[in-house]
Amino acid sequence: MENYRRDIISQLPDDLLLRILSSLSLKEVMATSFLSQRWRSLWKLGSKLKIGDKDFDDFLLKWVSRSLAISNPQILKSLDLKLIPGNECDRNTNSFHRFSSLVETAVSCGLRELRIEFLYTSLELPSIFYACGTLETLILCRLHLVDVPPNGSLSSLKTLRLLSVKFSRDESVQKLLSICPVLEELVVRRSGYSNVEIFTINVPSLTSLSIDYIRVGSHQPTGVHGFVINAPSLRYLNIRDRHSNYLLFTNMPELVKANVEAVCDQSESLIGSLASVRYLSLCSKSSNIPYHAGTSFAFLEHLELCTCSSECCNLLSRIITDPLTLRVLKLKSVVLVVIFHDSHLFLLITVIGKK
């Protein structure tokens, strides 16, 4: 009876114990493994593992790798790793070896999602990672990704997020994308740390693309820099790019919704590539918004247009003369409300003041 009272918490249901463990740090979780035989393996049933900077201890990483290695396969759904430069892990090569071993073990456990934030530190993933057949989501944040092997295959990866990632060379971007044959969602956030000049996105299976090109600090690229996008299956496009001087789009016949904010004067292919959309939000501070003859928005139902460009009126007059399907038109400006009306169309042009 006395032993039962001492270990009364172990009599709780697994679901409740897992909720308790999820609120603890990794070091505290490790400490619970010494409470009883049941607690020793219970934490691994949670299927999600988050290791922060304070957990990057050589002994702790060794314990996690060893514990996962002796477990049943395919139990780890998510692994979240974060490292801050300047701590012991940066100075200890053996700790990086433990990190590599941890990733290898996670892959062998049927890893589904991996998030790594290294805070502007070089990262070389083990070669076995690039052959992971179970990984569905990969998030890389604020790190320098060492070159990708050419013979890899992330055969199940559907979501990829590259958030302020530095590559060894421009070709490394396409090399990474080329080993993701079923990739559907791509998020790219560029910053002053990013070093790729021409970011080439050539993914036939891609259905959703989000680009956010922000500039941090005083560093500004001097040469040609921007994006080349070839995604014939794309349905959703969201791009906010105030810094590129080169944008090249191929035909995107499946595109349904697009939010575009760009300033590039060389975006000759931009308007033509958006012809299939039903929802379009367009803002360009460029004085020249190219509109090729023959471009028709035959399916357009919802249009939001920013009037910050002097070419806005010309662009608007060309767009609204084409589709009979247009139902909503919003102009983002500081001018008066205008009512547009003819025998085919009745639209309220909404005024949205800029903050």
Side-chain angles (χ1 to χ4, degrees):
M1 179 64 69
E2 184 178 353
N3 290 336
Y4 174 80
R5 289 177 178 175
R6 289 180 179 177
D7 197 24
I8 190 173
I9 193 172
S10 293
Q11 309 305 316
L12 296 174
D14 284 353
D15 291 344
L16 181 55
L17 291 177
L18 287 173
R19 290 179 62 183
I20 295 174
L21 289 174
S22 65
S23 65
L24 303 177
S25 68
L26 189 59
K27 289 184 178 180
E28 291 170 330
V29 170
M30 183 180 67
T32 65
S33 66
F34 299 102
L35 294 178
S36 69
Q37 184 69 28
R38 181 167 179 242
W39 283 78
R40 189 169 302 171
S41 58
L42 183 62
W43 68 274
K44 291 175 286 187
L45 298 178
S47 71
K48 295 183 179 181
L49 184 59
K50 185 174 182 179
I51 302 180
D53 185 66
K54 295 181 180 179
D55 299 318
F56 265 92
D57 175 87
D58 187 62
F59 173 76
L60 185 60
L61 292 181
K62 184 178 180 180
W63 173 78
V64 172
S65 296
R66 183 176 64 249
S67 299
L68 291 175
I70 62 177
S71 304
N72 294 325
Q74 297 187 353
I75 65 166
L76 191 60
K77 293 183 180 179
S78 175
L79 178 60
D80 189 333
L81 303 171
K82 182 176 180 179
L83 171 66
I84 297 177
N87 68 359
E88 182 180 355
C89 182
D90 291 310
R91 301 188 295 268
N92 193 336
T93 304
N94 192 43
S95 291
F96 275 117
H97 172 73
R98 294 298 182 195
F99 162 80
S100 179
S101 176
L102 176 61
V103 173
E104 291 182 9
T105 304
V107 169
S108 68
C109 290
L111 186 64
R112 296 289 189 270
E113 177 178 330
L114 176 62
R115 185 185 190 278
I116 303 178
E117 182 176 0
F118 259 27
L119 296 185
Y120 312 113
T121 304
S122 295
L123 169 66
E124 183 173 2
L125 289 165
S127 57
I128 189 176
F129 165 79
Y130 291 103
C132 181
T134 60
L135 191 70
E136 298 176 355
T137 300
L138 175 62
I139 304 172
L140 302 178
C141 182
R142 294 190 290 180
L143 54 82
H144 176 196
L145 185 64
V146 178
D147 208 8
V148 180
N151 56 347
S153 178
L154 299 175
S155 57
S156 299
L157 191 70
K158 294 184 177 181
T159 301
L160 175 61
R161 298 180 182 179
L162 303 174
L163 312 178
S164 297
V165 175
K166 183 178 181 179
F167 290 87
S168 299
R169 55 183 66 90
D170 283 15
E171 294 78 11
S172 298
V173 175
Q174 186 55 35
K175 190 182 296 183
L176 175 61
L177 296 177
S178 68
I179 65 173
C180 308
V182 297
L183 187 65
E184 296 178 357
E185 178 185 352
L186 176 62
V187 177
V188 178
R189 181 189 301 161
R190 299 188 64 173
S191 66
Y193 182 70
S194 306
N195 63 327
V196 176
E197 294 182 352
I198 300 298
F199 205 105
T200 302
I201 300 172
N202 184 10
V203 185
S205 60
L206 198 65
T207 59
S208 176
L209 174 61
S210 180
I211 294 175
D212 192 355
Y213 190 3
I214 59 178
R215 181 56 48 186
V216 178
S218 58
H219 173 72
Q220 294 287 342
T222 56
V224 176
H225 59 284
F227 292 87
V228 174
I229 300 173
N230 178 25
S233 300
L234 198 67
R235 293 180 61 83
Y236 305 101
L237 173 65
N238 186 7
I239 176 170
R240 186 181 65 167
D241 185 348
R242 300 174 181 176
H243 304 284
S244 292
N245 57 21
Y246 183 80
L247 293 173
L248 178 61
F249 298 82
T250 61
N251 186 32
M252 297 181 283
E254 304 296 325
L255 196 62
V256 174
K257 183 175 182 178
N259 295 282
V260 180
E261 180 181 345
V263 296
C264 181
D265 284 329
Q266 301 181 25
S267 54
E268 291 86 355
S269 60
L270 174 60
I271 296 299
S273 65
L274 303 176
S276 65
V277 296
R278 288 179 168 81
Y279 179 105
L280 175 60
S281 177
L282 181 62
C283 178
S284 176
K285 295 182 180 180
S286 169
S287 59
N288 178 29
I289 307 176
Y291 189 100
H292 293 288
T295 301
S296 175
F297 289 85
F299 308 101
L300 189 62
E301 299 176 0
H302 185 115
L303 174 63
E304 295 183 10
L305 193 62
C306 181
T307 61
C308 55
S309 169
S310 59
E311 290 293 313
C312 169
C313 293
N314 292 333
L315 181 61
L316 176 61
S317 63
R318 293 180 180 182
I319 292 179
I320 64 177
T321 56
D322 289 333
L324 300 178
T325 57
L326 191 62
R327 295 294 178 267
V328 178
L329 174 59
K330 293 183 179 181
L331 295 184
K332 300 177 183 180
S333 181
V334 291
V335 297
L336 297 177
V337 175
V338 180
I339 299 294
F340 178 88
H341 175 265
D342 64 14
S343 58
H344 301 291
L345 193 63
F346 183 81
L347 300 173
L348 174 63
I349 304 179
T350 306
V351 175
I352 303 176
K354 292 189 175 181
K355 295 182 180 180

